[in-house]
Amino acid sequence: MTGASAGIGQPAREDGSSLEESARAKVNLTLRVIGRRADGYHDLESVVVFADCADLLTLSPGGDLALTATGPRAAECGDNNDNLVIKAARLLGEQVEGLTFGTFALDKHLPVAAGIGGGSADAAAALRLLVRSNNLELDDPRVMDVARLTGADVPVCVQSHACVMTGVGENLLQLSLPRLPCVMVNPRVPVATKDVFQELGLKNGQLRVGPADVLKARSWPAEGASVDDWIAAVSAGTNDLEAPALKVEPIIGDVLAALGAAEGVRLARMSGSGATCFALFDNDTDAQRAAHAIQLAHPLWWVHAGALS
């Protein structure tokens, strides 16, 4: 399958001259659009978890800021100077006087513009690397300020821990989840987030839910809850961007149909603004079997069988 990646489940390595961090894919188990603020940003409520597939980012500290990209998805990254890794590093340099930069090397495995925060995860990994190489603290307010300035998904990717994300991505409440066997599929078609929100069609200052719903706090299973409990809770939610994303890129419907038809599937849904979709299963055997069947039927799709946590 094409979802293989590097560095998962292993600590970042140091060889005396370089540092490494995994940039794990994020998955939105739920995504509710509360409304659009007067400044044009959208208020969201989302249960965000992280997958066991990732890009790998290496930093060789010292010298000018630079980025090289390799790996199966490197050609999709575009101009390295416009990469979120460079943006995050430059912004941190503006906040921290005398910050030491260096050369980043990105081993790119995750599809881009895919609704799984690949670029945001890379930027978050860059911030973690710069924190380590400059003897900063990850909870330094300047680091999280830079994360917010870099992109809405970057703060949650800095922590890479399951949480409820609200606001425009700045409010994070950690959750404790069991390991959820899953299959992730992307049809290798990029989907621009701005196009999906444009299709959603909210005007500045417009709420999508009633005021009472905004004030009503959603409760999620407590620590120690089972896979069944979590699948039931997530199934009761939705991804409000799924319908507009289907209009922007109808092939998402084919992905959802393929996942929904898999033997043993418990839930199939789109992540983020698409086009990546995921399916939850009771066990790894069912997930692996489903991934194998989908990859055979759609050899050009990106398919990953693994787990969310």
Side-chain angles (χ1 to χ4, degrees):
M1 285 171 286
T2 56
S5 55
I8 299 301
Q10 298 182 15
R13 299 190 298 274
E14 302 182 26
D15 62 8
S17 61
S18 64
L19 308 171
E20 291 183 355
E21 285 278 348
S22 291
R24 297 171 66 195
K26 66 90 185 169
V27 171
N28 301 88
L29 292 181
T30 66
L31 198 164
R32 187 168 70 143
V33 180
I34 305 299
R36 188 172 184 179
R37 306 189 323 187
D39 60 10
Y41 289 96
H42 290 79
D43 275 316
L44 310 174
E45 179 192 55
S46 179
V47 173
V48 180
V49 296
F50 289 85
D52 54 357
C53 54
D55 296 333
L56 183 66
L57 190 67
T58 303
L59 172 63
S60 298
D64 295 335
L65 176 61
L67 171 67
T68 62
T70 59
R73 306 272 80 76
E76 302 171 15
C77 292
D79 185 352
N80 285 347
N81 290 321
D82 292 332
N83 195 284
L84 288 182
V85 167
I86 297 296
K87 180 180 179 180
R90 286 175 176 157
L91 287 171
L92 189 61
E94 294 173 5
Q95 294 285 333
V96 180
E97 185 177 354
L99 188 75
T100 297
F101 293 111
T103 299
F104 289 100
L106 176 62
D107 183 12
K108 187 67 179 173
H109 290 259
L110 301 176
V112 303
I116 53 174
S120 296
D122 296 341
L127 291 176
R128 294 196 299 270
L129 287 167
L130 289 171
V131 162
R132 292 169 56 196
S133 63
N134 285 273
N135 296 314
L136 302 173
E137 297 294 332
L138 198 57
D139 60 359
D140 187 315
R142 296 172 295 182
V143 176
M144 294 312 293
D145 284 346
V146 165
R148 285 188 285 269
L149 289 170
T150 304
D153 281 335
V154 178
V156 71
C157 289
V158 168
Q159 296 186 3
S160 290
H161 192 288
C163 69
V164 178
M165 180 177 72
T166 55
V168 293
E170 77 277 22
N171 302 317
L172 306 173
L173 177 64
Q174 287 198 357
L175 294 170
S176 177
L177 271 78
R179 181 181 180 277
L180 301 174
C182 80
V183 174
M184 299 164 61
V185 177
N186 182 276
R188 299 281 185 87
V189 175
V191 175
T193 300
K194 63 179 179 60
D195 293 344
V196 176
F197 276 111
Q198 183 175 338
E199 185 64 41
L200 185 65
L202 295 182
K203 298 176 181 178
N204 286 7
Q206 181 181 356
L207 284 175
R208 194 172 181 278
V209 300
D213 293 319
V214 175
L215 297 174
K216 190 186 303 180
R218 183 90 181 258
S219 61
W220 298 99
E223 184 174 358
S226 67
V227 170
D228 262 347
D229 292 336
W230 269 101
I231 290 178
V234 171
S235 297
T238 185
N239 181 344
D240 290 341
L241 297 183
E242 195 171 289
L246 279 163
K247 294 180 180 178
V248 172
E249 190 45 76
I251 197 173
I252 293 170
D254 297 336
V255 176
L256 288 169
L259 287 168
E263 184 179 348
V265 66
R266 298 289 305 277
L267 170 70
R269 181 172 290 163
M270 190 183 79
S271 175
S273 55
T276 304
C277 301
F278 67 92
L280 301 181
F281 296 82
D282 286 321
N283 56 70
D284 293 323
T285 300
D286 286 347
Q288 292 282 354
R289 183 186 300 116
H292 182 67
I294 292 171
Q295 190 73 88
L296 283 176
H298 303 278
L300 297 183
W301 288 3
W302 177 88
V303 180
H304 173 78
L308 306 174
S309 60

